[in-house]
Amino acid sequence: MLKVLVVEDEEMIRKGIVLAVDWAALDCVVVGECADGAAALEAVERYDPSLIITDLKMPRMDGLEMLRRLREMGNNAYVIILTAYDSFAYAQQALRLGAVDFLLKPFHDGELEAAVTALRRRTEGGGAVEPPALPGLKKGDKSKYVLQAMEYIGAHYDDQNISMGVIAQHLGLSESHLSHLFRKETDYTLMNYLTRYRVHKAMELLRDCRLKVYEVAERVGYRDITYFSATFKKVAGMSPSEFQDTCR
């Protein structure tokens, strides 16, 4: 199983990467997330990720400088670069430093999953991982209602009574219209996204090893710890206690 670290200063994009990808299906688990390269270097020391997905332009330390320092430290984690800058010079530098793929933002639904799948195939084949050709730019913007639904979930995920009806009413839409929009634009149902968001927040809390699993379950909106544990394992590929052990 690949341990993944996500490094991206734009919170909406970072949360989208962590939440919208079915990491368990890719035999991966997200062990950490950071908003800049400096924080990422500390996270690498703590979590020892095998795959780093990072933006290029970030405050404090950009992705290229982070990658340079990682290589100087002897760290050989796989790196997938994300950038909004269609610059061959940036791409050349990243690939020279050992990046295994390069995606231009906003990348299309499925492109990141395809990059991770391609990486796994190349590594399982036993050969060296060769840098890919540069991909083209694709658009994938979300509508305001889908973004508002995501924002509502981000603010109310700990509410045990949150539902499709509650969110639709808040946005002034019918449940069927919101459901159709969300599924069309994200490839996930709204409630599936809520589940993934809760599991993501649970991961953040579980990294604080002082918290018990039942305390984490309550903080992310679950009354039943057994149901929470089963849901967490389905999304993350391991139980909450197993995930907490990887962070010790």
Side-chain angles (χ1 to χ4, degrees):
M1 175 173 284
L2 291 178
K3 294 165 64 176
V4 180
L5 176 68
V6 179
V7 189
E8 166 62 63
D9 62 312
E10 295 184 52
E11 184 176 10
M12 183 68 73
I13 295 175
R14 189 173 71 248
K15 297 299 184 188
I17 293 170
V18 173
L19 296 170
V21 174
D22 189 348
W23 292 108
L26 295 171
D27 196 27
C28 298
V29 59
V30 176
V31 295
E33 61 175 280
C34 304
D36 61 72
L41 290 178
E42 297 177 5
V44 167
E45 290 291 324
R46 180 176 181 184
Y47 300 123
D48 190 28
S50 41
L51 171 60
I52 300 169
I53 298 172
T54 182
D55 190 14
L56 276 183
K57 188 173 181 181
M58 297 180 290
R60 289 214 298 166
M61 183 186 296
D62 65 24
L64 286 176
E65 179 61 22
M66 178 197 71
L67 186 50
R68 287 191 192 97
R69 296 197 186 189
L70 283 175
R71 298 318 187 209
E72 288 171 0
M73 294 161 49
N75 185 289
N76 294 315
Y78 299 117
V79 176
I80 294 176
I81 294 287
L82 311 174
T83 182
Y85 296 86
D86 190 1
S87 167
F88 187 65
Y90 272 111
Q92 284 182 313
Q93 292 180 64
L95 297 175
R96 276 199 299 268
L97 289 167
V100 298
D101 215 332
F102 189 97
L103 301 180
L104 295 175
K105 299 189 296 184
F107 46 89
H108 199 65
D109 289 342
E111 285 190 329
L112 180 55
E113 293 92 327
V116 174
T117 300
L119 168 63
R120 297 199 70 96
R121 286 174 180 164
R122 295 198 294 271
T123 56
E124 289 167 2
V129 178
E130 297 295 332
L134 297 183
L137 181 65
K138 296 182 180 180
K139 300 296 183 182
D141 295 338
K142 304 290 186 293
S143 69
K144 69 172 185 178
Y145 290 121
V146 169
L147 292 175
Q148 287 172 357
M150 290 177 169
E151 290 172 0
Y152 187 89
I153 286 173
H156 300 87
Y157 67 90
D158 56 345
D159 183 352
Q160 296 179 353
N161 296 314
I162 192 172
S163 66
M164 171 74 78
V166 168
I167 299 172
Q169 183 176 23
H170 175 76
L171 299 181
L173 299 175
S174 68
E175 290 185 40
S176 60
H177 186 44
L178 176 59
S179 176
H180 173 74
L181 280 178
F182 205 92
R183 184 61 182 265
K184 178 182 178 182
E185 295 184 24
T186 69
D187 289 331
Y188 289 93
T189 67
L190 187 145
M191 299 312 291
N192 184 261
Y193 179 84
L194 169 62
T195 296
R196 290 179 177 280
Y197 195 95
R198 282 172 161 169
V199 169
H200 166 64
K201 300 304 290 189
M203 287 177 174
E204 291 182 353
L205 294 170
L206 287 166
R207 292 184 188 115
D208 181 351
C209 296
R210 295 170 298 178
L211 292 174
K212 304 294 184 184
V213 172
Y214 75 87
E215 294 175 313
V216 172
E218 292 174 354
R219 292 192 187 189
V220 297
Y222 287 92
R223 297 185 181 92
D224 185 338
I225 187 173
T226 301
Y227 180 68
F228 164 70
S229 296
T231 300
F232 187 99
K233 186 169 185 176
K234 184 176 180 181
V235 173
M238 61 180 69
S239 70
S241 57
E242 288 171 338
F243 177 82
Q244 197 168 49
D245 287 340
T246 68
C247 301
R248 295 183 188 279

